[in-house]
Structures are given as structure tokens and as C-alpha cells.
Amino acid sequence: MIYITDGSFEGILTSVFEAFRNREEPEDIKPGVDVQLSFLSGIREIVTDSEKSERVWRGVQTKISQRALEDLYRAYLSGHPKVGLYIYRYIKIGLKLGDRVENYLQHPDVRAIHDLSQKVANEAHRFLGLLRFRKLKNGIYYACYEPDNNITMLLTDHFAKRLSDQPWIIHDRKRDIFALYNGEEVVFTSGLPGPVRPASEEEFYEELWKRYFESIAIESRRNPRLQKSYMPRRYWKYLPEKQL
């Protein structure tokens, strides 16, 4: 059975919940866009459920460890095609071993989570020193990069503190993800809404800023689709990177 999710971290945790509830051993846990139908496997679509994902999250926190939570989330940010399955298997092992799972590196699934987490953490740490901003004509500071992993969320709190009095944009060109900061909070978006982008770079960023902080920002933050690809805000405080 292949579990199909929306690609979010909460979607993967919901899949873990459903696998335990259904007493199934998923062949894989994948985002819908990555699915290639197989005549040898069944398909089960998993609807992301915040309550179910919260129960899994708290279960890992209390029955395994805080470090396990951090490793699982950072591994997720790697975007590895098998990471959903690795997360499920890691949790299954961890519920038996408790915090000893962190050092159970002889198991391939535990090793996979450990290695992916380290890879993501190392890249995020490097870009805290490497990311460079330039000031645009409209006064907004702009930095672009193309990281191997989806690490933008791990950087934003650091730069919100470091550049607290300046509006800025961090742009992951590889994924077309933007983090926008207005001096108070960060909003994530996958780009300018609507079918047409302004012709020039300056016009694009000006329009991006206008739409997200002057017109639809409040509504979009209630249920932003892209935000689901990151850890829900209530979990941010658990990440070591948020303390940098």
C-alpha cells in the first residue's frame, strides 16, 4: 500500500497515524506529485489532519525524545524521495526503543534519518554566514540562493533578529520560495499570485511585497498552503536553529 500525502510534514505525520490505526505497513509514503502508479501496489490517499499529526508529534516527544523530533523534521526538509517512509519506520522503531533509537545507527532507516538531518543542519548553518543581501531601489533587502535542501525556514528567525529593523526577502531560486519580513513577522510564499509577473525585477519585488503585506497577507496566513510544507508555527520553538 502506497500512502499519498499533500507533501507537508503534517501530511507525513498523519500518514504515520493512519498506518498505526489501520495496522498497515506502507510500501511508501509519497507526495501526490511524485506518484507513479504501479499495478503491484494499492493507493491510499491521506487527508492531512492537524489533530492526528499533533498526536503523533506529541507521542514522539514523550515516548522517544526531543532530539528525535528535530532530526525527523530536518530530515523532512531534505526532500529525499523516501523520507516519508524513513520517518514512519524511525517512529515505529523509536516507540519500541525510546531515546535509544538516536544511537541505533546500525539500522538503515535510523541511519537515513540521522544522515539527512545532519546534511540539512550543516547546510543551514553554512548559509547563516554565506547569505548576502543587496538593497533594492524600493529599500527592501534581497538575498537569493539555491540550497540543496529546503532550509529557508531554518534561516528566517536568525535574520529577523540580525536585520530586525529592515524589510527583507530571502529567495530560494531552486524552489521559487520566498520568505518576506516586514519588521514584525515572516510570511512564506511560492511567488507572486496571479498569472502575470511584472517585467522587471524591481517591479516584481514591489508587487510581491504589496500583495502579501498590504492586500492578502492576513487572509493567507490563516491557512497558507506553502506554510504547510514547513513545520507548523507551534513547533518552531523546538528547533535548535530558532535559537541562533
Side-chain angles (χ1 to χ4, degrees), residues 36-135:
Q36 295 181 353
L37 296 179
S38 169
F39 293 107
L40 302 178
S41 303
I43 299 293
R44 185 185 301 282
E45 293 188 15
I46 303 297
V47 177
T48 298
D49 187 306
S50 296
E51 182 177 347
K52 292 176 181 178
S53 66
E54 178 81 14
R55 287 178 63 180
V56 175
W57 180 270
R58 296 302 178 190
V60 173
Q61 185 181 47
T62 58
K63 297 179 181 179
I64 306 178
S65 71
Q66 182 62 45
R67 177 181 166 186
L69 293 176
E70 297 161 1
D71 281 340
L72 291 173
Y73 181 64
R74 283 192 297 259
Y76 161 74
L77 292 178
S78 71
H80 190 283
K82 288 289 186 180
V83 73
L85 188 61
Y86 293 153
I87 289 173
Y88 162 71
R89 290 175 175 173
Y90 183 102
I91 292 174
K92 185 176 180 180
I93 297 167
L95 291 177
K96 295 179 181 178
L97 298 181
D99 61 7
R100 290 178 294 158
V101 71
E102 298 165 10
N103 298 313
Y104 191 43
L105 299 181
Q106 62 267 39
H107 194 287
D109 297 310
V110 176
R111 166 64 72 174
I113 291 294
H114 174 271
D115 290 350
L116 291 173
S117 174
Q118 283 296 114
K119 180 181 176 182
V120 170
N122 290 341
E123 186 177 38
H125 182 73
R126 287 198 305 272
F127 273 107
L128 291 180
L130 293 175
L131 202 63
R132 294 292 180 264
F133 290 82
R134 61 186 177 92
K135 190 175 183 179

Side-chain angles (χ1 to χ4, degrees), residues 174-208:
K174 185 175 182 179
R175 298 165 185 81
D176 198 31
I177 288 173
F178 296 84
L180 300 88
Y181 177 70
N182 67 349
E184 296 181 1
E185 59 186 321
V186 178
V187 171
F188 296 96
T189 176
S190 58
L192 189 65
V196 180
R197 288 189 174 191
S200 74
E201 180 185 58
E202 296 290 338
E203 290 175 347
F204 170 71
Y205 296 124
E206 183 177 354
E207 186 65 18
L208 184 74

Side-chain angles (χ1 to χ4, degrees), residues 158-244:
H158 171 82
F159 288 107
K161 293 175 182 177
R162 178 180 169 187
L163 304 173
S164 60
D165 59 343
Q166 299 168 346
W168 49 254
I169 296 172
I170 297 176
H171 180 195
D172 178 347
R173 287 185 180 271
K174 185 175 182 179
R175 298 165 185 81
D176 198 31
I177 288 173
F178 296 84
L180 300 88
Y181 177 70
N182 67 349
E184 296 181 1
E185 59 186 321
V186 178
V187 171
F188 296 96
T189 176
S190 58
L192 189 65
V196 180
R197 288 189 174 191
S200 74
E201 180 185 58
E202 296 290 338
E203 290 175 347
F204 170 71
Y205 296 124
E206 183 177 354
E207 186 65 18
L208 184 74
W209 200 263
K210 178 180 178 181
R211 292 201 188 187
Y212 278 92
F213 280 118
E214 295 182 11
S215 58
I216 67 169
I218 294 175
E219 179 61 30
S220 70
R221 283 196 297 271
R222 292 178 183 170
N223 186 29
R225 179 174 177 80
L226 182 72
Q227 209 87 317
K228 289 184 177 180
S229 71
Y230 297 96
M231 183 185 296
R233 184 177 294 273
R234 63 184 177 275
Y235 301 143
W236 288 12
K237 63 183 179 181
Y238 299 120
L239 290 177
E241 289 83 355
K242 305 302 286 181
Q243 307 303 320
L244 296 175

